[in-house]
Amino acid sequence: MSLQSMTGFARHLRNDAGAQISWEIKSVNGKGLDVRFRLPTGFEAVEQKARALFGQRFKRGNFQAALTVTRNAGDAKALINEPLLKELARIAAQLREDFKLAPSTPEGLMALRGVLEAPQDVLSPEDQAEVEEAVLAVLDETLLQLEHNRQIEGKALGDILSAQVDAVELLTQQARRDPSRTLDAVRARLAAQVALLLDASPALDEARLHMEAAFLATKADIQEELDRLDMHVAAARTLLRDGNGVGRKLDFLTQEFNREANTLCSKANAASITSIGLDLKAVVDQLREQIQNLE
């Protein structure tokens, strides 16, 4: 499955069932699937089936869908209001006889309001059903085009997200290799802390001080956070590879990334680790911002 962006646009037009049918669809970010239609009068009945077509192709996004239907004059037969035409012809003959007027022409009578009835106003139930079927077929073609456009943008977005996940992994590796985490560095830090305490209060028990210092060092250890970051990186790559409909899961995963970055900063007992933690928080923030565009 391919990643999809939630932003996209598609327009499709086709002549079918004696009409020119056009759909225009825009989509933007949304927490769920929300479709709003703008339909011409007489086509309200297609909304339910049209909404189902959206649900078959998309999981998330706010959509605006506008339908335009124009009957083709060349393919439609205008209806003549014969009773009105006969009455107008009778009145014209009477006026010609009474006032010596020039004879009326068929074209002149046909141009009078009400003689010709517009074909779109007199669609039979069978014709209406045929047009509605064509409307849904054109919609399906438009949705296919929109899906393709969203996938193109989704691929570009996936490349950005993959690069940001790589940056998280790189920062995690830097923290893991940081000189402040070596055994010698930890021993030196503990020795310095114990020496400061003994200088301040020589009566304190040295063995107990060493025990407390070791306990504090254990609490400050960031190994678990680094291991969880590695797990989250692997999970993010799996979701990006799986593709369609993973935006919400990735959004939840960025919350876990952020939690580990915060803990790493709070536990840091070296300026270098703090700096890495802050860089990690910045990358995670960028990652989460981009994921908001993903279906």
Side-chain angles (χ1 to χ4, degrees), residues 78-266:
L79 299 185
I80 299 174
N81 189 334
E82 292 188 12
L84 177 60
L85 180 59
K86 289 179 181 179
E87 180 63 17
L88 290 174
R90 186 192 65 77
I91 294 173
Q94 185 65 48
L95 291 173
R96 185 175 66 251
E97 182 177 341
D98 293 344
F99 299 101
K100 309 301 180 184
L101 299 176
S104 58
T105 64
E107 292 80 2
L109 292 175
M110 296 285 282
L112 295 175
R113 178 179 297 179
V115 176
L116 289 178
E117 295 179 343
Q120 57 265 34
D121 296 333
V122 291
L123 278 178
S124 67
E126 294 78 11
D127 289 341
Q128 181 69 22
E130 183 182 4
V131 175
E132 289 181 1
E133 184 179 350
V135 162
L136 293 172
V138 176
L139 173 61
D140 196 43
E141 294 170 356
T142 313
L143 293 178
L144 181 62
Q145 178 183 336
L146 177 63
E147 183 180 37
H148 177 68
N149 293 341
R150 286 173 37 132
Q151 287 173 350
I152 292 175
E153 189 170 340
K155 183 181 182 305
L157 187 57
D159 293 340
I160 295 173
L161 294 174
S162 294
Q164 290 170 336
V165 171
D166 290 345
V168 170
E169 182 182 45
L170 179 61
L171 288 167
T172 303
Q173 292 172 351
Q174 288 178 5
R176 195 182 298 277
R177 297 192 301 264
D178 191 82
S180 67
R181 298 187 68 245
T182 63
L183 185 59
D184 288 342
V186 173
R187 284 175 177 169
R189 191 159 50 247
L190 288 175
Q193 292 172 348
V194 170
L196 285 173
L197 289 172
L198 287 174
D199 289 342
S201 181
L204 292 175
D205 181 63
E206 185 174 352
R208 180 61 185 271
L209 284 176
H210 278 290
M211 185 181 301
E212 292 294 332
F215 175 72
L216 292 175
T218 301
K219 286 186 64 177
D221 185 63
I222 59 173
Q223 184 62 44
E224 289 186 9
E225 286 70 31
L226 297 178
D227 290 343
R228 282 195 290 267
L229 282 169
D230 285 340
M231 292 172 55
H232 298 335
V233 165
R237 285 175 174 157
T238 298
L239 289 172
L240 289 172
R241 186 169 57 251
D242 289 347
N244 196 26
V246 297
R248 192 179 297 277
K249 292 181 180 179
L250 282 168
D251 190 30
F252 291 145
L253 191 57
T254 58
Q255 297 177 36
E256 298 301 317
F257 274 123
N258 193 57
R259 184 176 293 111
E260 302 305 334
N262 285 333
T263 306
L264 189 143
C265 286
S266 66

